[in-house]
Amino acid sequence: MVFGEMSVHEPELGAEFSRNQESQGILYRNGASLIGALNFFTENVGTFVFTTIEDTVASWRSFQEIRLEYDAERTEYEQAKQDPKPEDLTGLEDRYSQAQRRYLVAKEAVEAKLQMLDYNKINVMKRQLKLFNSAVCAFFAGNQESLEKILEESHLSPIDVDESRKMTNWLDQLHGDVAKRLAPAARPLGYS
């Protein structure tokens, strides 16, 4: 790691660099676990918002269209029943019956989806918010074991952390800057 290499170049700061390297490694591992928990949270909330709610709204709109067709067929059928000419009544009655069946099926579907939406809103969101809160608390407490347990309970596998990789570009930049300052400067002859 960068801090390990820097401790070799600066022996007086070796202990501080080693502690910093260890702290950065722990932060990196905990951060990877937290990112896993946050990804799980956002995926589930996204599914709830962009799939479950949108599907329910689409079903509601479809139900409203079917309800309007049903109301129109019912009104036309009821008006035809009051008219003394019953010859058109059979066709109207069939159309009214079909519209009524479509209406009842759509009504049941919407009621079921609204019940599921209510269930998901309360139970799924409660679970997701609990996971989110627990993961954030464990991260800021520096409790890697707790964070891993939360991921395990949520059936998530922790993100693999390649500690041999350099952690971030800014550390690489810092390492390069320090190396340049520590390297003996090549001075032209006669320069004092």
Side-chain angles (χ1 to χ4, degrees):
M1 296 302 249
V2 175
F3 290 112
E5 293 172 16
M6 292 171 70
S7 68
V8 172
H9 293 293
E10 287 291 327
E12 309 85 47
L13 299 174
E16 287 77 13
F17 280 131
S18 293
R19 277 194 299 275
N20 202 323
Q21 177 181 1
E22 185 179 326
S23 298
Q24 294 295 324
I26 291 169
L27 180 64
Y28 186 63
R29 284 188 301 279
N30 287 353
S33 296
L34 179 63
I35 288 170
L38 293 175
N39 285 340
F40 183 71
F41 173 78
T42 55
E43 286 172 12
N44 282 308
V45 170
T47 298
F48 178 70
V49 171
F50 298 114
T51 303
T52 308
I53 291 176
E54 284 183 6
D55 183 51
T56 304
V57 168
S59 295
W60 178 259
R61 287 183 179 141
S62 174
F63 167 71
Q64 290 301 323
E65 289 173 12
I66 292 170
R67 185 188 61 80
L68 286 173
E69 290 172 11
Y70 167 67
D71 286 343
E73 293 294 340
R74 182 178 42 115
T75 303
E76 191 175 339
Y77 175 68
E78 288 173 356
Q79 286 176 353
K81 277 190 346 186
Q82 294 173 3
D83 197 11
K85 301 175 193 168
E87 62 269 352
D88 294 334
L89 200 55
T90 6
L92 289 174
E93 187 174 15
D94 288 343
R95 287 192 355 230
Y96 165 68
S97 294
Q98 289 173 357
Q100 185 179 34
R101 276 192 297 263
R102 283 193 312 271
Y103 167 75
L104 293 174
V105 168
K107 181 179 176 184
E108 285 180 27
V110 165
E111 286 173 351
K113 287 186 180 191
L114 287 172
Q115 286 175 347
M116 285 302 295
L117 182 65
D118 190 49
Y119 172 82
N120 285 336
K121 178 183 71 175
I122 294 171
N123 294 318
V124 173
M125 288 304 295
K126 183 186 281 187
R127 180 175 172 265
Q128 292 305 313
L129 289 170
K130 181 180 177 185
L131 166 69
F132 178 73
N133 186 46
S134 299
V136 169
C137 288
F139 173 77
F140 283 108
N143 191 342
Q144 176 68 21
E145 293 81 26
S146 178
L147 197 50
E148 287 174 0
K149 184 179 177 187
I150 291 165
L151 294 177
E152 184 179 302
E153 288 172 359
S154 300
H155 307 291
L156 295 172
S157 53
I159 295 174
D160 290 330
V161 176
D162 182 5
E163 292 188 35
S164 65
R165 256 184 50 220
K166 299 216 183 314
M167 293 191 335
T168 59
N169 288 339
W170 69 269
L171 285 177
D172 290 339
Q173 180 67 38
L174 176 65
H175 178 262
D177 291 346
V178 170
K180 285 178 190 172
R181 290 182 186 167
L182 293 178
R187 296 183 183 168
L189 294 175
Y191 180 79
S192 7

